Coordinates of all heavy atoms in Angstrom, one line a residue:
M37 N -9.6 22.5 19.2 CA -10.0 21.1 19.1 C -9.7 20.6 17.6 O -10.2 21.2 16.7 CB -11.4 20.8 19.5 CG -11.9 19.4 19.4 SD -11.2 18.5 20.7 CE -11.8 16.9 20.3
V38 N -9.0 19.5 17.5 CA -8.7 19.0 16.2 C -9.8 17.9 15.8 O -10.0 17.1 16.7 CB -7.3 18.3 16.2 CG1 -7.0 17.7 14.9 CG2 -6.2 19.3 16.5
D39 N -10.4 18.1 14.7 CA -11.4 17.1 14.3 C -10.8 16.1 13.3 O -9.7 16.2 12.9 CB -12.6 17.8 13.7 CG -12.4 18.6 12.5 OD1 -11.2 18.7 12.1 OD2 -13.3 19.0 11.8
K40 N -11.6 15.1 13.0 CA -11.2 14.0 12.2 C -10.8 14.4 10.8 O -9.8 13.9 10.2 CB -12.3 12.9 12.1 CG -11.9 11.7 11.4 CD -13.1 10.7 11.5 CE -12.7 9.4 10.8 NZ -13.8 8.4 10.9
A41 N -11.5 15.4 10.2 CA -11.2 15.8 8.9 C -9.8 16.5 8.8 O -9.1 16.3 7.8 CB -12.3 16.8 8.4
Q42 N -9.4 17.2 9.9 CA -8.1 17.8 9.9 C -7.0 16.8 10.0 O -6.0 16.9 9.4 CB -8.0 18.8 11.1 CG -8.8 20.1 10.9 CD -8.7 20.9 12.2 OE1 -9.0 20.4 13.3 NE2 -8.4 22.2 12.0
V43 N -7.2 15.7 10.8 CA -6.2 14.7 10.9 C -6.1 13.9 9.6 O -5.0 13.7 9.1 CB -6.7 13.7 12.0 CG1 -5.8 12.5 12.1 CG2 -6.7 14.4 13.4
I44 N -7.2 13.6 8.9 CA -7.1 13.0 7.6 C -6.4 13.9 6.6 O -5.6 13.4 5.8 CB -8.5 12.6 7.1 CG1 -9.1 11.5 8.1 CG2 -8.5 12.1 5.7 CD1 -10.5 11.1 7.8
S45 N -6.7 15.1 6.6 CA -6.1 16.1 5.7 C -4.5 16.1 5.9 O -3.8 16.2 5.0 CB -6.7 17.5 5.9 OG -6.0 18.4 5.1
L46 N -4.1 16.1 7.2 CA -2.7 16.1 7.5 C -2.0 14.8 7.0 O -1.0 14.9 6.4 CB -2.5 16.2 9.0 CG -1.1 16.2 9.5 CD1 -0.2 17.3 8.9 CD2 -1.0 16.2 11.0
C47 N -2.7 13.7 7.2 CA -2.2 12.4 6.7 C -2.0 12.5 5.2 O -0.9 12.1 4.7 CB -3.1 11.3 7.1 SG -2.4 9.6 6.7
R48 N -3.0 12.9 4.5 CA -2.9 13.0 3.0 C -1.8 13.9 2.6 O -1.1 13.7 1.6 CB -4.3 13.4 2.5 CG -5.3 12.3 2.5 CD -6.6 12.8 1.9 NE -7.6 11.7 1.9 CZ -8.9 11.9 1.8 NH1 -9.3 13.2 1.7 NH2 -9.7 10.9 1.9
S49 N -1.7 15.1 3.3 CA -0.6 16.0 2.9 C 0.7 15.4 3.1 O 1.6 15.7 2.3 CB -0.8 17.3 3.8 OG -2.0 18.0 3.5
L50 N 0.9 14.7 4.2 CA 2.2 14.1 4.4 C 2.5 13.0 3.4 O 3.6 12.9 2.9 CB 2.3 13.4 5.8 CG 2.6 14.4 7.0 CD1 2.2 13.8 8.3 CD2 4.0 14.8 7.0
L51 N 1.5 12.2 3.0 CA 1.7 11.2 2.0 C 2.0 11.9 0.6 O 2.9 11.4 -0.1 CB 0.5 10.3 1.9 CG 0.3 9.4 3.1 CD1 -1.1 8.7 2.9 CD2 1.4 8.3 3.1
R52 N 1.3 12.9 0.3 CA 1.5 13.7 -0.9 C 2.9 14.3 -1.0 O 3.6 14.2 -2.0 CB 0.4 14.7 -1.1 CG -0.1 14.9 -2.5 CD -1.2 15.9 -2.5 NE -2.5 15.4 -2.0 CZ -3.1 15.9 -1.0 NH1 -2.7 17.0 -0.4 NH2 -4.3 15.4 -0.6
A53 N 3.3 14.9 0.1 CA 4.7 15.5 0.1 C 5.7 14.4 0.0 O 6.8 14.6 -0.7 CB 4.8 16.2 1.4
G54 N 5.5 13.2 0.6 CA 6.5 12.2 0.5 C 6.6 11.6 -0.9 O 7.7 11.1 -1.2
R55 N 5.6 11.7 -1.6 CA 5.7 11.2 -3.0 C 6.5 12.0 -3.9 O 6.9 11.6 -5.0 CB 4.3 11.1 -3.6 CG 3.5 9.8 -3.2 CD 2.3 9.7 -4.0 NE 1.4 10.8 -3.8 CZ 0.1 10.7 -3.4 NH1 -0.4 9.6 -3.1 NH2 -0.6 11.8 -3.3
Q56 N 6.9 13.2 -3.5 CA 7.7 14.1 -4.3 C 9.2 13.8 -4.2 O 9.9 14.4 -5.0 CB 7.4 15.6 -3.9 CG 6.0 16.0 -4.2 CD 5.8 17.4 -3.7 OE1 6.6 18.0 -3.0 NE2 4.6 18.0 -4.1
Y57 N 9.6 13.0 -3.3 CA 11.0 12.7 -3.2 C 11.5 12.0 -4.5 O 10.8 11.1 -5.0 CB 11.3 11.7 -2.0 CG 11.4 12.4 -0.7 CD1 10.4 12.2 0.2 CD2 12.4 13.2 -0.4 CE1 10.4 12.8 1.5 CE2 12.5 13.9 0.9 CZ 11.5 13.6 1.8 OH 11.5 14.3 3.0
P58 N 12.6 12.3 -5.1 CA 13.1 11.7 -6.3 C 13.6 10.3 -6.0 O 13.7 9.5 -6.9 CB 14.2 12.6 -6.8 CG 14.6 13.4 -5.7 CD 13.4 13.5 -4.7
D59 N 14.0 10.0 -4.8 CA 14.6 8.7 -4.5 C 13.6 7.7 -4.0 O 12.8 8.0 -3.1 CB 15.7 8.9 -3.4 CG 16.5 7.6 -3.1 OD1 16.3 6.6 -3.8 OD2 17.3 7.6 -2.2
Y60 N 13.5 6.5 -4.6 CA 12.5 5.5 -4.3 C 12.6 5.1 -2.8 O 11.5 5.0 -2.2 CB 12.8 4.2 -5.2 CG 12.0 3.0 -4.7 CD1 10.7 2.9 -5.2 CD2 12.5 2.1 -3.9 CE1 9.9 1.8 -4.8 CE2 11.8 1.0 -3.5 CZ 10.5 0.8 -4.0 OH 9.7 -0.2 -3.6
N61 N 13.8 4.9 -2.3 CA 13.9 4.5 -0.9 C 13.4 5.5 0.1 O 12.7 5.1 1.1 CB 15.4 4.2 -0.5 CG 15.9 2.9 -1.3 OD1 15.1 2.0 -1.5 ND2 17.1 3.0 -1.7
I62 N 13.6 6.7 -0.2 CA 13.1 7.8 0.7 C 11.6 7.9 0.6 O 10.9 8.2 1.6 CB 13.8 9.1 0.4 CG1 15.3 9.0 0.8 CG2 13.3 10.3 1.3 CD1 16.2 10.1 0.4
R63 N 11.1 7.8 -0.7 CA 9.6 7.8 -0.9 C 8.9 6.8 -0.1 O 7.9 7.0 0.6 CB 9.3 7.6 -2.3 CG 9.4 8.9 -3.2 CD 8.7 8.7 -4.5 NE 9.1 7.4 -5.2 CZ 10.1 7.4 -6.1 NH1 10.8 8.4 -6.4 NH2 10.4 6.2 -6.7
E64 N 9.5 5.5 -0.1 CA 8.9 4.4 0.6 C 9.0 4.6 2.1 O 8.1 4.3 2.9 CB 9.5 3.1 0.2 CG 9.1 2.7 -1.2 CD 7.6 2.5 -1.4 OE1 6.9 1.8 -0.6 OE2 7.0 3.1 -2.3
Y65 N 10.1 5.1 2.6 CA 10.3 5.4 4.0 C 9.3 6.4 4.5 O 8.7 6.2 5.5 CB 11.7 5.8 4.3 CG 11.9 6.2 5.7 CD1 12.0 5.3 6.7 CD2 11.9 7.6 6.1 CE1 12.1 5.7 8.1 CE2 12.1 8.0 7.4 CZ 12.2 7.0 8.4 OH 12.3 7.4 9.7
A66 N 9.1 7.5 3.7 CA 8.2 8.5 4.1 C 6.8 8.0 4.2 O 6.1 8.3 5.2 CB 8.3 9.7 3.2
K67 N 6.4 7.2 3.3 CA 5.1 6.6 3.3 C 4.9 5.7 4.5 O 3.9 5.8 5.2 CB 4.9 5.8 2.0 CG 3.6 5.1 1.9 CD 3.5 4.3 0.6 CE 2.4 3.4 0.5 NZ 2.4 2.5 -0.7
R68 N 5.9 4.8 4.7 CA 5.8 3.8 5.8 C 5.8 4.6 7.1 O 5.0 4.2 8.0 CB 7.0 2.9 5.7 CG 6.9 1.8 6.7 CD 8.0 0.8 6.5 NE 9.4 1.4 6.7 CZ 10.2 1.5 5.7 NH1 10.0 1.1 4.5 NH2 11.4 2.1 6.0
R69 N 6.6 5.6 7.3 CA 6.7 6.3 8.6 C 5.4 7.1 8.8 O 4.9 7.1 10.0 CB 7.9 7.3 8.5 CG 8.1 8.1 9.7 CD 8.4 7.3 10.9 NE 8.5 8.1 12.1 CZ 7.5 8.2 13.0 NH1 6.4 7.5 12.9 NH2 7.6 9.0 14.0
T70 N 4.8 7.7 7.8 CA 3.6 8.4 8.0 C 2.5 7.5 8.4 O 1.8 7.7 9.4 CB 3.2 9.1 6.6 OG1 4.2 10.0 6.3 CG2 1.9 9.8 6.8
L71 N 2.3 6.4 7.7 CA 1.2 5.4 8.0 C 1.4 4.8 9.4 O 0.5 4.7 10.2 CB 1.1 4.4 7.0 CG 0.7 4.9 5.6 CD1 0.7 3.7 4.6 CD2 -0.7 5.5 5.7
D72 N 2.7 4.5 9.7 CA 2.9 3.9 11.1 C 2.6 4.9 12.2 O 2.1 4.6 13.2 CB 4.4 3.5 11.2 CG 4.7 2.2 10.4 OD1 3.7 1.5 9.9 OD2 5.8 1.9 10.2
G73 N 3.0 6.2 12.0 CA 2.8 7.2 13.0 C 1.3 7.4 13.2 O 0.8 7.6 14.3
F74 N 0.5 7.4 12.1 CA -0.9 7.6 12.3 C -1.6 6.4 12.9 O -2.5 6.5 13.7 CB -1.6 8.0 11.0 CG -1.5 9.5 10.7 CD1 -0.4 10.0 10.0 CD2 -2.5 10.4 11.1 CE1 -0.2 11.3 9.8 CE2 -2.3 11.7 10.8 CZ -1.2 12.2 10.2
R75 N -1.1 5.2 12.6 CA -1.7 4.0 13.2 C -1.4 4.0 14.7 O -2.2 3.5 15.5 CB -1.1 2.8 12.5 CG -1.7 2.5 11.2 CD -1.2 1.2 10.6 NE -1.6 1.1 9.2 CZ -0.8 0.9 8.2 NH1 0.5 0.8 8.4 NH2 -1.3 0.9 7.0
M76 N -0.2 4.4 15.0 CA 0.3 4.4 16.4 C -0.6 5.3 17.3 O -0.9 5.0 18.4 CB 1.7 4.8 16.5 CG 2.3 4.7 17.9 SD 4.1 5.1 17.9 CE 4.1 6.8 17.4
N77 N -1.0 6.5 16.7 CA -1.7 7.5 17.5 C -3.2 7.3 17.2 O -4.0 8.2 17.7 CB -1.3 8.9 17.1 CG 0.1 9.1 17.6 OD1 0.5 8.7 18.7 ND2 0.9 9.8 16.8
K78 N -3.7 6.3 16.6 CA -5.1 6.1 16.3 C -6.0 6.0 17.5 O -7.1 6.5 17.5 CB -5.2 4.8 15.4 CG -6.6 4.5 14.9 CD -6.5 3.4 14.0 CE -7.5 2.3 14.3 NZ -7.5 1.2 13.3
S79 N -5.4 5.5 18.6 CA -6.2 5.2 19.7 C -6.2 6.4 20.8 O -6.7 6.2 21.9 CB -5.8 3.9 20.4 OG -4.5 4.0 20.8
L80 N -5.6 7.5 20.4 CA -5.5 8.6 21.4 C -6.9 9.1 21.6 O -7.7 9.4 20.7 CB -4.7 9.7 20.8 CG -3.2 9.5 20.7 CD1 -2.5 10.7 20.1 CD2 -2.6 9.2 22.1
A81 N -7.3 9.3 22.9 CA -8.6 9.8 23.3 C -8.5 11.2 24.0 O -9.5 11.9 23.9 CB -9.3 8.8 24.1
D82 N -7.4 11.4 24.7 CA -7.3 12.7 25.4 C -7.1 13.8 24.4 O -6.2 13.8 23.6 CB -6.1 12.5 26.3 CG -5.9 13.8 27.2 OD1 -6.8 14.5 27.4 OD2 -4.7 14.0 27.6
P83 N -8.0 14.8 24.5 CA -7.9 15.9 23.5 C -6.5 16.7 23.5 O -6.1 17.1 22.5 CB -9.0 16.9 23.9 CG -10.0 16.0 24.7 CD -9.2 15.0 25.3
S84 N -5.9 16.8 24.7 CA -4.6 17.4 24.7 C -3.5 16.6 24.0 O -2.7 17.2 23.3 CB -4.2 17.7 26.2 OG -4.0 16.5 26.9
K85 N -3.6 15.3 24.1 CA -2.7 14.4 23.5 C -2.9 14.5 21.9 O -1.9 14.4 21.2 CB -2.8 13.0 24.0 CG -2.4 12.8 25.4 CD -0.9 12.8 25.5 CE -0.6 12.5 27.0 NZ 0.9 12.6 27.2
V86 N -4.2 14.5 21.5 CA -4.5 14.6 20.1 C -3.9 15.9 19.5 O -3.3 15.9 18.5 CB -6.0 14.5 19.9 CG1 -6.4 14.8 18.4 CG2 -6.5 13.2 20.3
E87 N -4.1 17.0 20.3 CA -3.6 18.3 19.8 C -2.1 18.3 19.7 O -1.5 18.8 18.8 CB -4.0 19.4 20.8 CG -5.4 19.8 20.8 CD -5.8 20.7 19.7 OE1 -4.9 21.4 19.1 OE2 -7.0 20.8 19.4
E88 N -1.4 17.6 20.7 CA 0.0 17.5 20.7 C 0.5 16.7 19.5 O 1.5 17.1 18.8 CB 0.4 16.8 22.0 CG 1.9 17.0 22.4 CD 2.1 16.4 23.8 OE1 1.6 16.9 24.7 OE2 2.8 15.3 23.8
A89 N -0.1 15.6 19.2 CA 0.2 14.7 18.1 C 0.0 15.5 16.8 O 0.8 15.4 15.8 CB -0.5 13.4 18.1
Y90 N -1.1 16.2 16.7 CA -1.4 17.0 15.5 C -0.3 18.0 15.2 O 0.1 18.2 14.1 CB -2.8 17.6 15.6 CG -3.2 18.3 14.3 CD1 -3.7 17.6 13.2 CD2 -3.2 19.7 14.3 CE1 -4.1 18.3 12.1 CE2 -3.6 20.4 13.1 CZ -4.0 19.7 12.1 OH -4.4 20.3 10.9
A91 N 0.0 18.7 16.3 CA 1.1 19.8 16.2 C 2.4 19.2 15.7 O 3.1 19.7 14.9 CB 1.2 20.5 17.5
E92 N 2.7 18.0 16.2 CA 4.0 17.3 15.8 C 3.9 16.9 14.4 O 4.8 17.0 13.6 CB 4.2 16.1 16.7 CG 5.4 15.3 16.3 CD 6.7 16.1 16.5 OE1 6.8 17.0 17.3 OE2 7.7 15.7 15.7
G93 N 2.7 16.5 13.9 CA 2.5 16.1 12.5 C 2.7 17.3 11.6 O 3.3 17.2 10.5
K94 N 2.2 18.5 12.0 CA 2.3 19.7 11.2 C 3.8 20.1 11.1 O 4.3 20.5 10.0 CB 1.5 20.8 11.8 CG 0.0 20.7 11.7 CD -0.4 20.7 10.3 CE -0.9 22.1 10.0 NZ -1.5 22.2 8.7
K95 N 4.5 19.9 12.2 CA 6.0 20.2 12.2 C 6.7 19.3 11.2 O 7.5 19.7 10.4 CB 6.6 20.1 13.6 CG 6.2 21.2 14.5 CD 6.9 20.9 15.9 CE 6.4 21.9 16.9 NZ 6.9 21.6 18.3
Q96 N 6.3 18.0 11.2 CA 6.9 17.0 10.3 C 6.6 17.3 8.9 O 7.4 17.2 8.0 CB 6.5 15.6 10.7 CG 7.0 15.1 12.0 CD 8.5 15.0 12.0 OE1 9.1 14.6 11.0 NE2 9.1 15.4 13.1
L97 N 5.4 17.8 8.6 CA 5.0 18.2 7.3 C 5.9 19.3 6.8 O 6.4 19.3 5.6 CB 3.5 18.6 7.2 CG 3.0 19.1 5.8 CD1 3.2 18.0 4.8 CD2 1.6 19.5 6.0
E98 N 6.1 20.3 7.6 CA 7.0 21.4 7.2 C 8.4 20.9 6.9 O 9.1 21.4 6.0 CB 7.1 22.5 8.3 CG 5.8 23.2 8.5 CD 5.8 24.2 9.7 OE1 6.9 24.3 10.3 OE2 4.7 24.7 10.0
V99 N 8.9 20.0 7.7 CA 10.3 19.5 7.5 C 10.3 18.7 6.2 O 11.2 18.9 5.4 CB 10.7 18.5 8.7 CG1 11.9 17.7 8.4 CG2 10.9 19.3 10.0
V100 N 9.3 17.9 5.9 CA 9.3 17.1 4.7 C 9.3 18.0 3.5 O 10.0 17.8 2.5 CB 8.1 16.1 4.7 CG1 7.9 15.6 3.3 CG2 8.3 15.0 5.7
E101 N 8.4 19.1 3.5 CA 8.4 20.0 2.4 C 9.7 20.7 2.2 O 10.1 20.9 1.0 CB 7.2 21.0 2.7 CG 5.9 20.4 2.5 CD 4.7 21.3 2.9 OE1 5.0 22.3 3.6 OE2 3.6 21.0 2.6
R102 N 10.4 21.1 3.3 CA 11.7 21.7 3.1 C 12.7 20.8 2.5 O 13.5 21.1 1.6 CB 12.2 22.2 4.5 CG 12.1 23.7 4.7 CD 12.8 24.2 5.9 NE 13.0 23.3 7.0 CZ 12.3 23.2 8.1 NH1 11.3 24.1 8.3 NH2 12.5 22.4 9.1
V103 N 12.8 19.6 3.0 CA 13.7 18.6 2.5 C 13.5 18.2 1.1 O 14.4 18.0 0.3 CB 13.7 17.3 3.5 CG1 14.6 16.2 2.9 CG2 14.2 17.7 4.8
V104 N 12.2 18.1 0.7 CA 11.9 17.8 -0.7 C 12.4 18.9 -1.6 O 13.0 18.6 -2.7 CB 10.3 17.7 -0.9 CG1 9.9 17.7 -2.3 CG2 9.9 16.3 -0.3
K105 N 12.3 20.2 -1.2 CA 12.8 21.3 -2.0 C 14.3 21.1 -2.2 O 14.8 21.3 -3.3 CB 12.5 22.6 -1.4 CG 11.0 23.0 -1.5 CD 10.8 24.3 -0.8 CE 9.3 24.6 -0.8 NZ 8.9 25.8 -0.1
V106 N 15.0 20.7 -1.2 CA 16.5 20.5 -1.3 C 16.8 19.4 -2.2 O 17.7 19.5 -3.1 CB 17.1 20.3 0.1 CG1 18.6 19.9 0.0 CG2 17.0 21.6 1.0
Y107 N 16.1 18.2 -2.0 CA 16.3 17.1 -2.9 C 16.0 17.4 -4.4 O 16.7 16.9 -5.2 CB 15.4 15.9 -2.5 CG 16.1 15.0 -1.5 CD1 16.2 15.2 -0.2 CD2 16.7 13.8 -2.0 CE1 16.9 14.4 0.7 CE2 17.4 13.0 -1.2 CZ 17.5 13.2 0.2 OH 18.1 12.4 1.0
L108 N 15.0 18.2 -4.6 CA 14.7 18.6 -6.0 C 15.7 19.5 -6.6 O 16.0 19.5 -7.8 CB 13.3 19.2 -6.1 CG 12.1 18.2 -5.8 CD1 10.8 18.9 -5.8 CD2 12.1 17.0 -6.8
A109 N 16.3 20.4 -5.7 CA 17.3 21.3 -6.2 C 18.7 20.6 -6.5 O 19.4 20.9 -7.4 CB 17.5 22.4 -5.2
Y110 N 18.9 19.5 -5.7 CA 20.2 18.8 -5.8 C 19.9 17.3 -5.9 O 20.1 16.5 -5.0 CB 21.1 19.0 -4.6 CG 21.4 20.5 -4.4 CD1 20.8 21.2 -3.4 CD2 22.3 21.1 -5.2 CE1 21.0 22.6 -3.2 CE2 22.6 22.5 -5.0 CZ 22.0 23.2 -4.0 OH 22.2 24.5 -3.8
P111 N 19.4 16.8 -7.1 CA 19.0 15.4 -7.2 C 20.2 14.5 -7.2 O 21.3 14.9 -7.6 CB 18.3 15.4 -8.5 CG 18.8 16.5 -9.3 CD 19.1 17.6 -8.3
P112 N 20.1 13.3 -6.8 CA 21.2 12.3 -6.8 C 21.6 12.1 -8.2 O 20.8 12.0 -9.1 CB 20.6 11.1 -6.1 CG 19.2 11.3 -6.0 CD 18.8 12.7 -6.2
K113 N 22.9 11.9 -8.4 CA 23.5 11.7 -9.7 C 23.3 10.3 -10.3 O 23.3 10.1 -11.4 CB 25.0 12.0 -9.7 CG 25.2 13.4 -9.2 CD 26.4 14.0 -9.9 CE 26.8 15.4 -9.4 NZ 25.8 16.4 -9.5
T114 N 23.1 9.3 -9.4 CA 22.9 7.9 -9.8 C 21.5 7.5 -9.4 O 21.0 7.9 -8.4 CB 24.0 7.0 -9.3 OG1 23.9 7.0 -7.8 CG2 25.3 7.4 -9.7
K115 N 21.0 6.5 -10.1 CA 19.7 6.0 -9.7 C 19.9 4.6 -9.1 O 20.9 3.9 -9.4 CB 18.8 5.8 -11.0 CG 18.5 7.1 -11.7 CD 17.3 6.9 -12.5 CE 16.9 8.2 -13.2 NZ 16.2 9.1 -12.3
N116 N 19.1 4.2 -8.1 CA 19.2 2.9 -7.5 C 18.6 1.9 -8.4 O 17.9 2.2 -9.4 CB 18.7 3.0 -6.1 CG 17.2 3.2 -6.0 OD1 16.5 2.9 -6.9 ND2 16.7 3.7 -4.9
I117 N 18.7 0.7 -8.0 CA 18.3 -0.5 -8.8 C 16.7 -0.5 -9.0 O 16.2 -0.9 -10.1 CB 18.8 -1.8 -8.3 CG1 18.6 -3.0 -9.2 CG2 18.1 -2.1 -7.0 CD1 19.5 -2.9 -10.4
M118 N 16.0 0.0 -8.0 CA 14.5 0.0 -8.1 C 14.1 1.0 -9.2 O 13.1 0.7 -9.9 CB 13.9 0.3 -6.8 CG 14.2 -0.7 -5.7 SD 13.5 -2.3 -6.1 CE 11.8 -2.1 -6.1
E119 N 14.7 2.1 -9.3 CA 14.4 3.1 -10.3 C 14.8 2.7 -11.7 O 14.1 3.0 -12.6 CB 15.0 4.4 -9.9 CG 14.3 5.0 -8.7 CD 15.0 6.2 -8.1 OE1 16.2 6.4 -8.4 OE2 14.4 7.0 -7.4
L120 N 15.9 1.9 -11.8 CA 16.3 1.5 -13.1 C 15.3 0.5 -13.7 O 15.0 0.4 -14.9 CB 17.7 0.9 -13.0 CG 18.8 1.8 -12.8 CD1 20.1 1.1 -12.6 CD2 18.9 2.9 -13.9
K121 N 14.8 -0.4 -12.9 CA 13.8 -1.4 -13.3 C 12.5 -0.8 -13.7 O 11.8 -1.4 -14.5 CB 13.6 -2.5 -12.3 CG 14.8 -3.4 -12.1 CD 14.5 -4.5 -11.1 CE 15.6 -5.4 -11.0 NZ 15.3 -6.6 -10.1
L122 N 12.1 0.3 -13.1 CA 10.8 1.0 -13.4 C 10.8 1.6 -14.8 O 9.8 1.8 -15.4 CB 10.5 2.0 -12.4 CG 10.2 1.4 -11.0 CD1 10.0 2.6 -10.0 CD2 9.0 0.5 -11.0
Q123 N 11.9 1.9 -15.3 CA 12.0 2.6 -16.6 C 11.9 1.7 -17.8 O 12.1 0.6 -17.9 CB 13.2 3.5 -16.7 CG 13.2 4.6 -15.7 CD 14.5 5.4 -15.8 OE1 15.5 5.0 -16.4 NE2 14.5 6.5 -15.1

């Protein structure tokens, strides 16, 4: 059984992992997708559906962590306009 603390921890982990992307657009997409996914599944009441959604979230966290490692190993050569204004 997945409890509320585990779900919140997963959400925070996904948001934290998404902040590691070097590209502004991907960071914002990861944040928006994470929050939308958790809002969409907020009303789940069936324990089997909650377990299923939690397992899918864990898989997505593994994917994000793997992709971040690749992005950090091979960063983009140019910055987009949003990153230029921030500096």
Side-chain angles (χ1 to χ4, degrees):
M37 179 75 185
V38 177
D39 62 350
K40 187 176 181 177
Q42 288 176 310
V43 172
I44 292 171
S45 175
L46 177 62
C47 182
R48 287 181 179 161
S49 295
L50 280 163
L51 290 171
R52 218 175 285 121
R55 280 191 298 238
Q56 294 177 349
Y57 281 109
D59 185 7
Y60 171 83
N61 292 324
I62 298 174
R63 279 194 310 267
E64 289 301 310
Y65 173 77
K67 176 181 170 185
R68 186 175 61 247
R69 179 64 184 100
T70 299
L71 294 175
D72 288 348
F74 277 87
R75 285 183 191 126
M76 185 177 65
N77 291 323
K78 183 171 133 177
S79 62
L80 290 179
D82 183 21
S84 64
K85 294 285 185 186
V86 172
E87 290 279 343
E88 197 174 294
Y90 183 78
E92 178 63 28
K94 290 294 264 188
K95 286 180 191 174
Q96 291 299 320
L97 178 59
E98 291 174 8
V99 169
V100 168
E101 289 172 343
R102 255 192 332 261
V103 172
V104 164
K105 288 178 185 176
V106 171
Y107 265 84
L108 292 175
Y110 304 101
K113 302 216 184 298
T114 60
K115 297 203 179 280
N116 64 27
I117 192 70
M118 295 301 291
E119 291 169 336
L120 291 175
K121 289 185 177 184
L122 293 175
Q123 294 178 348

